[in-house]
Amino acid sequence: MKILRNILALASMLYCAVVYGQGFTMPETTVSWTVKSEHVEDSLYRIVFTGKVADGWHTYGLESDLYPTAVEFGELQGYTLSGEPVELSESTDYDGMKVFFNEIVIGQDIVRTTGEEFEVKGELTWMGCTDTQCASPEYKDFSVKIEKDSAAVSAADKPAKADGGRGFNWGLIIEAILWGFAALLTPCVFPMVPMTVSFFMKGSASPAAGRFKASMYGLFIVLLYTVPISLIIFITWLAGGETVTADIFNWLATHWIPNIIFFIVFMVFAASFFGAFEIVLPSSIVNKSDKGADKGGLLGVFFMALTLVLVSFSCTGPIVGTVLIKSTEGEFWSPMITMLAFSLAFALPFTILALFPSLLKNLPKSGGWLNSVKVVLGFVEVALGFKFLSVADQTYHWGLLDREVYLAIWIVVFTLLGLYLLGKIRFANDEKVEHLSVKRLALAIAVFSFVVYMIPGMFGAPLKALSGYLPPITTQDFVIGQASAQTGAVTEAPAVPAGSKSAEYGLHLPLGLTGYFDLDEGLEAAKKEGKPVFVDITGHGCVNCREMESRVWSDPQVLEILRNDYVIVALYTDDKQKLDKSEWVTTPNGDVLKDLGRINSYIARTRFGVNAQPNYVLLSPEGEMLAPVRGYDLSIPGFVEFLKSGLSR
């Protein structure tokens, strides 16, 4: 076909030479081109080539056998191509060929990979003809500038928003707010209520000054919780940018050392809540802060807030730890935002009481109920603590906490909590339950209902509401019945091509899906099968990843597309297994990456511009991005549209 094309082109040039010799006048160019860019959505742009065809002339389309119009791009800096060029204008049938009179319009989608300004450069080639002769092939260099856009969601700057967008995890923020309100009811915090009221009832020079001090009191509480974590993030960012900060939080969230420490800390706090001992900060620190509160003005207000934060540490410490660790899945801003949400909720009741001290008479008095709250929190701390042990177990493949073992622990813990609420179990500091209140009964019913909900999970039920907390169902030894696409239950590990690197990693995909755990292998398989690639940037300790798999991937339509239309590649960014020396990766700054998780994390950052999990990338078999990166989003229709957009492009 190429030889025929060259022969025809040569013949047309010879014919033109004869015609020119007979006095034929050629236009300066047979097609006059203009090039512009259009912002489609998020990081997706379209380069539009519009050609005005000279009167009496026509040109050929992208797929013409005679001499096709072609677009060639230069070095891809700041963007990647998404799909192939397409004809946006209507062609005309002419002598059995599709040609364009008057105008030809071509579009090429690109995906932005930087927030900075960049240029799209390349060359257009085409040939114009009349009814009797053709001109020589023509060429035109083009360049179109894409302006800097701070609002544009770029793969290098931050994870894209769904259909390309991740954004903040509002579920986590709401959870942080609820924890902030719940902390008020803990026995370390609630006794501070009358102290707050007493301090602000001393009066101020004027009502306006009193309101100002009360507002500053709330602000100081928020700052004392938020500023320290923000400083840590800012210092690490100065030391090495967002990548270093994300790596530190990723280490905290996935390495066995911090996870075992957090597990032990949670068990110690739980024992304290059960009454085994009391955890308090050194009295010298608290006393100095308390003395500072006696000073007047804003300094006294600050020390009052500091006293509250220090005294409440033994109850808010584990809550703060839970909030922070759940928000450290690679996001730069999430720890600060979630801590701000927690502290705002925690500070709000104290601020209101500082503004309106008379509200104290409407609050319940301290008593045995506070110790009951503390014990309930102790049971919750035990359950949450095992999540840290589970993360270490999964990332290092210890095999200690399979799904049924984890579920068995939670079933026992919450059964004991239900019995405690019914008064069947008492701890050292508890008052005897003479009668069962309606509130305790309602809580007991809720807890036992939760236990009943968990029991089928011992036999393979998916338990989608807990999917983010439980180990993958592939770790479960016994599942009743056959594998089910609806539940995700699998009786054996999914197949990975024998002899591949992926087979050696010992990893699994959810829902009985098959795929790869090495990007190069997945791309090679995609070329052979003629399918696009679905890249799952995930982690063993990623709560949101498990939730996406259980709630979104398990949808029949989503699962069918993943199983039949894509080659799946899962990149576990927190897997700690060491690789052979031949698989090590050396970064441009000389760092040698030796374990699977660090290599996958490096690929996710440098190739796709994301530092968090989960994120999903659609690639052509040649490795070109087909759509903006999609993050955590539980919209099933949105995910289906995302997958279909990759197929169409």
Side-chain angles (χ1 to χ4, degrees), residues 488-566:
V490 292
T491 55
E492 58 183 17
V496 177
S500 66
K501 285 192 296 184
S502 296
E504 299 171 2
Y505 295 151
L507 300 172
H508 309 282
L509 287 172
L511 308 169
L513 293 166
T514 62
Y516 298 83
F517 304 99
D518 178 88
L519 183 58
D520 291 336
E521 278 192 329
L523 289 171
E524 189 63 31
K527 291 177 182 177
K528 293 178 180 178
E529 298 180 30
K531 296 180 179 179
V533 179
F534 175 82
V535 182
D536 173 24
I537 300 172
T538 185
H540 295 292
C542 174
V543 172
N544 292 335
C545 302
R546 304 293 85 77
E547 192 172 12
M548 283 291 295
E549 292 161 4
S550 178
R551 296 192 179 190
V552 179
W553 290 30
S554 62
D555 178 80
Q557 189 176 5
V558 173
L559 197 57
E560 182 180 7
I561 296 174
L562 288 176
R563 180 173 287 125
N564 300 325
D565 299 330
Y566 280 93

